[in-house]
Amino acid sequence: MANEVTKTMPPNTRLLRTDASEVTVDIRTPDLEINFGPQHPATHGVMRVLMRTDGELVTGAQPHLGYLHRCAEKIGENVEWLQYLPYTDRYDYLASMNNNLGYSLAVEALLGVEIPRRATLIRIICAELNRIGSHLVAFGTYGLDIGAFTPFLYCFREREWMMSLFEKICGARLTYSYIRIGGVFNDAPPGWFEEVARFCDVFERKWPEYVDLLLVNQIYVKRTANVGVISREMALDFGLSGTMLRGSGIDWDLRRDMPYMCYGEIWRDGAYKIPLAKGEMGALGDCWDRSWVRVMEMMESIRIVRWCLDHMVDGPVIGELPKSLKVPAGEAYVGIENPRGELGHYIVSDGGKVAVRTRVRGPSFSNLAVLEDILPGSLVGDAVAIIGSTDIVVGETDR
Amino acid sequence: MDFQGILDRLTAIRAPGLVASDEPRQADPKDKKDKGRAGDPFVIVDAQQLAEFVRACRDDDRLHFEQLVDLTATDPSKDAAELWINVQLLSLKFRHRLAIKALLPKTAASLPSLVPVHRASQWHERECAEMFGIRFVGHPDPRNILLPDDWAGHPLRKDYEFPKEYHGISCE
Amino acid sequence: MAPALMLVQEAAPVAVGSGSNAFLEGLVAALGESLPLWALWLGAAVTGVAIVIGLISLIAMFSVWLERKVAGHIQCRYGPMYVGWHGWLQSIADGVKLLLKEDMIPRDADRLLFMLAPALVLSAIVAAMAAYPLAPGVFFADLDLGVFFVIAMSSMTTIGVVMAGWASNSKWTVFGAMREAAQVVAYEIPLGVALLVPVMVAGTLNLREASELQSDWYGMGWFMFKNPFMLPAFVLYFIAALAETKRAPFDLPEAESELVAGFMTEYSGIRWSFFFMEEYAAMFLMSALAAVFFLGGFESPLTWAAGEFFGRELFVAGVNGATELNLQAIPYHAVAGLTLLLKTFAGIFLMMWLRWTLPRVRVDQVMTMGYKYLTPLALVCALGAALWEAGKQALLG
């Protein structure tokens, strides 16, 4: 037994059960290789990071993906345009509205269909509400990673309302498929806009609780400041986007800089700002900066929603589309600002009912690549904080 | 800068490997078969010089494409002789994008890796490699990323046949 | 001389367990004629152990229920609501579930150590519990080295934890065990030194006697108010006690987001619940020590009033010289016991409150805090308190 075991093991391995005399014990201590995941509370899904540790110090890290690979891109080549929409819900399941929006915009870029103004505004409201919900989960679960349980439930209290708002408008709580090619599925039920306005008011009152309870908590600051620093150069080189970029102090937001729908108009009205990390608590680009950006963005989203409510118009909510949708031949790439960064859809059509290629550029996928570089040198506790601060959704990295 | 401006600049700096450009156009009313083309304009680049081209785009101070947003491939059809490599570049400074297409023969699907230019392409190339069977020469870590290490075939190729079983698990 | 020296002189020759147990002796004197002596002693011992174990289970169950309620209400929800009134039977239901669970031991685990570890942890805390005085006249063991005994026994649990971590043969559990060992070693020092401050003022290590010493000022003569260095010492003690009992923000050995469940990762069912019970019993003991040595123990104005009204002696000399149980004093002892219990649970509540509010500190920060801040501060407190007491004695005679 022991012979078989020792043969298959690399040299310098120490066996815990020494019931045979052949087993040699080496006093050198090799680094501990430890599987962080795929079943681990802090991997936000099923991701595996193969970590090499020397005591509490991480000396190497190698992320392994693919545990949640559901072949979204292959499915995109086999189902009709509209049929693919429910699949978009499932890659970043915390921001399904935004995924629907990204895909719809990409297809619309080929179609050239006109979107009614009311549909556009409802789209923005939904996308921004979902951004709030997504950031609430990101911030709440980040608190969990750091060891604070209660802020998580505070965040979910508001997210619950947000989800029931979506339930009222489209019947689903997580996978909406509400934003369709050409507009949105149906008009908002009576009283929905008023309830959204009420949600905005209440959220504005509750929001300082997150800041006071967690964001400026000294233990939280000590845990996240100067941890997992991503420099500006690194952020650009790795193709990071969204909150990760802004967390590193790069002033970039697709909503403002490459406006789609009427974000440009809202910006010109001065309704929202782009929170930009300044490295208040430590080095610029640390975990605290990233979480700060997320918390601040929630309030900006509330402002955008308010603007849309104020400028709501009557009219149809879906453009004129044929029953059997054929998309003109061509190819288009549309990137939108998802809660996690730039969600890109690269779509190739040959003029038929089915796409030739549906490429999904998930922001988490690019954001996660940076782990290999920033994990080594941190402590095991820091590793959790760093992985949490990248705010990955594994459904999106694996698609 | 709009696409025409970018194209002019690329020609002016003699960006290596620039072959042609393609812009959307209306269908020609005289030609019944022509459906026109919708979508984004893009440039066509020689695949073997793609890395150099992207480097030139990054380093030029009027293009300043400092981010590689996406790198992927497309298999246009089962009969096509060539794969496309699609690269999306983004300039944060000048707020413009550039779509690049490189044609790569299916029989010799190999090109220099873009990792030395943009680290961002590291994982995208790994995904591309496993999904399309493209070899990125000089890639530092050429393992499968989404698929299991022992997966046979390249799923996103149009001639891919779904396996009947995987390690005794029926796939039908 | 300074009380610290008196303490050494008095305490040194006394061995653990040799303290007089007035309650038992009183009982023997009262019942001695009707039963043989050995039966009485045996009966008392068995009853004592049974009561301690029962008490621990009761405390653990109540604390778990309390923890869930506290957590629930802090987190804008109700906590358990269905089993009994406000879910008060929830802990019993959970206990039954844990008992019925499959007893799993990992294949590559060291079976003997794996099974021994929870038992060691629990027995250590049961032993420590023996020093807890139920009432001024009712206790299991009236130890002259009470504080020392409790701290020694509760640090014994660390051995069990390290044992569990090692025996599970999993990397996460080893991480948890090593963290526990490092943390307890680091925080044992400030804990002991901070506790030395009231011990020095009291001049005794005996929990009952320390409590008695605080009965002046109409039951408000708590050590807390008797020395200006007592309040910082109390804060230091409380922080160190949090670390000692592995409670948030120092719950690194079982940090669920980092180490899955730390040293408990491979445990399930009743063995796991032993660790769980140990945690709550340790919390209880640490809070009890804080209550006795900082917050007046049994003493409160109510206790004082009850003592004045009902009398304090549980055993009095009867008409013909025999010792008799003084039934009249029972309300006083009940009030005193409840007072201590209340103070203890106030400490537990504070621990729960902190746990559900604060994030977890990092492992290097735990060490830094223990060695660089708490230990020197505790030493300063001890020195200051000693000087204060010496000065007081020199001035007031």
Side-chain angles (χ1 to χ4, degrees):
Chain A
M1 176 63 202
N3 261 334
E4 287 166 29
V5 173
T6 41
K7 261 180 217 159
T8 56
M9 279 184 160
N12 299 338
T13 307
R14 293 196 297 156
L15 294 179
L16 293 178
R17 297 190 63 131
T18 55
D19 49 358
S21 55
E22 289 101 322
V23 177
T24 51
V25 176
D26 196 315
I27 55 161
R28 275 176 297 173
T29 53
D31 284 359
L32 192 66
E33 281 217 333
I34 189 159
N35 256 325
F36 193 86
Q39 302 293 331
H40 188 283
T43 53
H44 297 239
V46 274
M47 183 189 65
R48 177 159 74 104
V49 183
L50 190 62
M51 282 205 291
R52 186 172 296 117
T53 63
D54 178 12
E56 286 274 349
L57 196 71
V58 178
T59 55
Q62 198 176 52
H64 287 247
L65 313 178
Y67 291 91
L68 219 56
H69 181 51
R70 288 151 303 169
C71 322
E73 292 180 10
K74 188 73 181 173
I75 291 169
E77 297 173 10
N78 288 294
V79 296
E80 290 183 16
W81 296 101
L82 202 53
Q83 284 177 338
Y84 183 66
L85 200 73
Y87 293 99
T88 64
D89 285 334
R90 279 148 181 90
Y91 26 85
D92 181 354
Y93 36 75
L94 293 179
S96 303
M97 285 286 184
N98 291 278
N99 300 346
N100 296 162
L101 181 64
Y103 178 71
S104 302
L105 286 175
V107 177
E108 285 156 12
L110 289 179
L111 271 175
V113 62
E114 183 151 346
I115 312 298
R117 171 99 174 153
R118 186 176 175 85
T120 305
L121 291 175
I122 294 179
R123 278 177 169 195
I124 294 182
I125 292 176
C126 288
E128 294 304 324
L129 283 180
N130 209 339
R131 187 188 313 278
I132 295 169
S134 171
H135 282 337
L136 282 174
V137 177
F139 187 60
T141 50
Y142 192 47
L144 273 188
D145 290 343
I146 302 290
F149 198 93
T150 301
F152 169 71
L153 284 153
Y154 279 39
C155 290
F156 266 55
R157 182 184 60 193
E158 267 72 63
R159 185 170 178 266
E160 187 63 31
W161 193 357
M162 177 221 92
M163 289 205 295
S164 71
L165 280 172
F166 284 155
E167 198 179 352
K168 280 178 185 157
I169 202 169
C170 69
R173 284 166 63 82
L174 198 66
T175 50
Y176 313 110
S177 300
Y178 173 65
I179 296 174
R180 300 280 167 94
I181 299 162
V184 295
F185 170 57
N186 56 3
D187 207 343
W192 192 78
F193 293 119
E194 288 76 20
E195 196 180 339
V196 172
R198 223 160 43 243
F199 171 79
C200 291
D201 295 341
V202 173
F203 187 84
E204 215 163 35
R205 280 206 308 278
K206 300 282 186 187
W207 178 81
E209 285 181 9
Y210 315 133
V211 179
D212 295 343
L213 189 63
L214 193 58
L215 192 66
V216 294
N217 183 314
Q218 270 308 304
I219 298 179
Y220 180 84
V221 172
K222 286 266 188 293
R223 278 293 306 272
T224 52
N226 290 320
V227 168
V229 178
I230 302 175
S231 65
R232 298 171 67 101
E233 294 71 32
M234 206 169 170
L236 290 173
D237 198 19
F238 273 94
L240 303 188
S241 50
T243 46
M244 300 280 283
L245 267 186
R246 294 192 282 281
S248 291
I250 298 168
D251 198 5
W252 179 257
D253 191 311
L254 285 171
R255 287 175 296 177
R256 179 194 63 189
D257 296 318
M258 295 188 137
Y260 49 97
M261 300 198 293
C262 44
Y263 279 117
E265 197 183 331
I266 306 174
W267 171 258
R268 282 192 295 281
D269 264 14
Y272 65 102
K273 296 191 287 289
I274 305 296
L276 189 64
K278 293 179 281 289
E280 277 169 66
M281 297 292 176
L284 182 64
D286 55 12
C287 293
W288 190 85
D289 280 342
R290 289 194 281 279
S291 58
W292 178 85
V293 166
R294 285 189 194 107
V295 173
M296 292 299 148
E297 265 187 21
M298 289 188 220
M299 280 317 278
E300 302 306 326
S301 292
I302 286 286
R303 297 205 178 100
I304 298 175
V305 171
R306 283 235 175 90
W307 188 93
C308 292
L309 290 175
D310 291 345
H311 292 74
M312 187 55 67
V313 292
D314 283 333
V317 292
I318 191 149
E320 295 284 323
L321 283 177
K323 264 239 159 64
S324 162
L325 192 65
K326 279 188 181 171
V327 173
E331 51 192 83
Y333 174 89
V334 173
I336 66 158
E337 184 77 21
N338 237 31
R340 275 158 200 82
E342 177 173 345
L343 173 77
H345 278 89
Y346 172 71
I347 284 174
V348 183
S349 169
D350 59 355
K353 286 182 176 179
V354 176
V356 171
R357 176 92 170 95
T358 312
R359 159 70 177 168
V360 185
R361 186 260 186 211
S364 295
F365 185 77
S366 300
N367 292 351
L368 197 63
V370 82
L371 277 190
E372 264 171 303
D373 274 47
I374 57 174
L375 276 187
S378 60
L379 298 168
V380 174
D382 286 342
V384 174
I386 293 169
I387 293 172
S389 80
T390 57
D391 186 20
I392 48 157
V393 167
V394 178
E396 192 178 60
T397 61
D398 296 354
R399 299 182 300 281
Chain B
M1 222 187 288
D2 62 351
F3 181 72
Q4 196 54 47
I6 295 170
L7 195 62
D8 291 345
R9 178 69 188 167
L10 283 171
T11 333
I13 61 165
R14 293 209 188 89
L18 181 62
V19 176
S21 69
D22 190 323
E23 287 183 62
R25 59 198 154 78
Q26 296 291 316
D28 186 359
K30 286 173 204 153
D31 188 356
K32 281 275 167 66
K33 279 185 182 166
D34 183 26
K35 294 185 215 154
R37 188 177 90 69
D40 302 336
F42 56 84
V43 293
I44 299 175
V45 173
D46 176 22
Q48 301 310 319
Q49 286 177 286
L50 183 61
E52 289 313 307
F53 180 82
V54 172
R55 187 191 297 276
C57 287
R58 184 192 69 182
D59 293 342
D60 183 66
D61 53 1
R62 284 185 52 198
L63 295 173
H64 217 276
F65 285 109
E66 61 261 78
Q67 255 199 344
L68 183 142
V69 175
D70 191 16
L71 183 147
T72 185
T74 302
D75 186 1
S77 77
K78 205 180 256 187
D79 318 315
E82 286 163 325
L83 294 168
W84 307 344
I85 305 286
N86 305 96
V87 179
Q88 309 290 339
L89 297 182
L90 173 67
S91 166
L92 273 57
K93 193 174 173 190
F94 298 116
R95 301 181 185 180
H96 53 217
R97 285 183 190 276
L98 178 63
I100 302 170
K101 186 188 273 186
L103 302 178
L104 198 65
K106 278 185 182 174
T107 46
S110 154
L111 76 161
S113 168
L114 268 66
V115 177
V117 191
H118 286 291
R119 292 284 299 277
S121 72
Q122 187 168 336
W123 282 18
H124 291 304
E125 281 178 16
R126 278 170 71 182
E127 193 186 343
C128 238
E130 66 183 0
M131 294 293 180
F132 292 93
I134 299 168
R135 204 164 79 83
F136 288 90
V137 180
H139 192 281
D141 186 18
R143 290 175 300 126
N144 277 3
I145 186 161
L146 296 180
L147 298 179
D149 289 338
D150 58 350
W151 193 263
H154 305 293
L156 281 181
R157 285 226 188 174
K158 287 284 192 285
D159 56 0
Y160 177 71
E161 282 183 13
F162 285 96
K164 293 275 186 290
E165 63 156 32
Y166 177 69
H167 287 296
I169 308 161
S170 171
C171 301
E172 285 175 298
Chain C
M1 267 312 287
L5 286 181
M6 283 157 51
L7 177 146
V8 175
Q9 284 162 4
E10 279 178 18
V14 186
V16 174
S18 71
S20 64
N21 192 330
F23 178 66
L24 215 55
E25 277 169 14
L27 213 62
V28 169
L31 299 170
E33 285 160 20
S34 52
L35 276 172
L37 200 61
W38 64 266
L40 208 62
W41 278 105
L42 191 70
V46 170
T47 321
V49 169
I51 290 174
V52 173
I53 292 179
L55 196 68
I56 284 199
S57 315
L58 216 63
I59 287 166
M61 277 182 183
F62 179 72
S63 306
V64 170
W65 176 81
L66 186 71
E67 171 114 64
R68 296 176 67 168
K69 287 311 257 191
V70 168
H73 284 276
I74 285 178
Q75 294 165 349
C76 322
R77 53 191 179 89
Y78 290 116
M81 280 303 275
Y82 287 96
V83 197
W85 180 81
H86 278 256
W88 71 278
L89 286 168
Q90 186 67 49
S91 300
I92 295 170
D94 283 351
V96 171
K97 180 200 76 175
L98 287 170
L99 273 170
L100 293 177
K101 267 193 167 181
E102 188 189 349
D103 176 31
M104 283 203 292
I105 300 177
R107 194 187 56 206
D108 290 336
D110 189 322
R111 285 186 75 88
L112 181 67
L113 286 184
F114 189 85
M115 291 193 285
L116 213 56
L120 180 73
V121 164
L122 196 66
S123 50
I125 212 75
V126 167
M129 200 69 192
Y132 176 75
L134 291 172
V138 188
F139 34 77
F140 308 112
D142 188 28
L143 301 177
D144 285 340
L145 278 176
V147 184
F148 185 74
F149 180 75
V150 170
I151 293 181
M153 277 298 151
S154 64
S155 354
M156 276 267 289
T157 58
T158 309
I159 298 172
V161 166
V162 174
M163 216 154 123
W166 180 255
S168 301
N169 197 1
S170 149
K171 289 165 183 173
W172 298 116
T173 60
V174 174
F175 261 112
M178 293 326 284
R179 281 183 175 190
E180 161 85 6
Q183 186 173 316
V184 168
V185 168
Y187 280 83
E188 202 88 311
I189 308 160
L191 183 89
V193 177
L195 211 48
L196 204 61
V197 176
V199 166
M200 216 149 53
V201 174
T204 175
L205 287 163
N206 187 314
L207 271 69
R208 185 182 50 81
E209 281 174 22
S211 178
E212 256 169 35
L213 284 169
Q214 302 174 71
S215 60
D216 45 355
W217 302 357
Y218 303 105
M220 284 308 284
W222 302 357
F223 288 146
M224 189 80 147
F225 307 130
K226 283 187 172 166
N227 191 315
F229 291 93
M230 212 58 94
L231 185 66
F234 174 65
V235 174
L236 291 175
Y237 170 80
F238 200 79
I239 295 172
L242 282 177
E244 185 82 7
T245 50
K246 311 185 279 289
R247 292 289 294 184
F250 303 106
D251 56 344
L252 289 130
E254 50 197 280
E256 79 278 349
S257 61
E258 293 164 26
L259 304 184
V260 190
F263 62 90
M264 301 194 286
T265 307
E266 304 294 341
Y267 281 90
S268 62
I270 195 69
R271 284 185 219 284
W272 174 80
S273 77
F274 281 3
F275 287 112
F276 208 57
M277 274 163 74
E278 181 269 332
E279 185 180 326
Y280 285 99
M283 273 166 76
F284 182 83
L285 276 172
M286 287 296 156
S287 295
L289 280 189
V292 168
F293 278 96
F294 293 97
L295 303 175
F298 299 118
E299 302 308 329
S300 69
L302 198 65
T303 322
W304 176 81
E308 289 296 300
F309 191 73
F310 297 108
R312 293 194 167 82
E313 290 306 314
L314 201 52
F315 297 97
V316 289
V319 272
N320 46 5
T323 317
E324 273 184 4
L325 197 64
N326 179 16
L327 291 174
Q328 269 203 333
I330 286 179
Y332 160 71
H333 287 271
V335 168
L338 280 176
T339 308
L340 180 59
L341 211 58
L342 209 64
K343 286 173 181 172
T344 307
F345 271 101
I348 292 179
F349 175 75
L350 192 59
M351 286 178 168
M352 288 172 180
W353 188 359
L354 288 174
R355 169 169 178 184
W356 297 108
T357 309
L358 294 177
R360 184 184 307 119
V361 290
R362 203 168 53 211
V363 63
D364 60 322
Q365 292 163 347
V366 171
M367 294 298 137
T368 315
M369 199 170 153
Y371 283 120
K372 279 195 182 163
Y373 299 108
L374 289 194
T375 309
L377 281 176
L379 286 169
V380 167
C381 274
L383 188 69
L387 289 175
W388 177 274
E389 288 297 314
K392 206 164 78 176
Q393 279 197 347
L395 284 177
L396 303 175

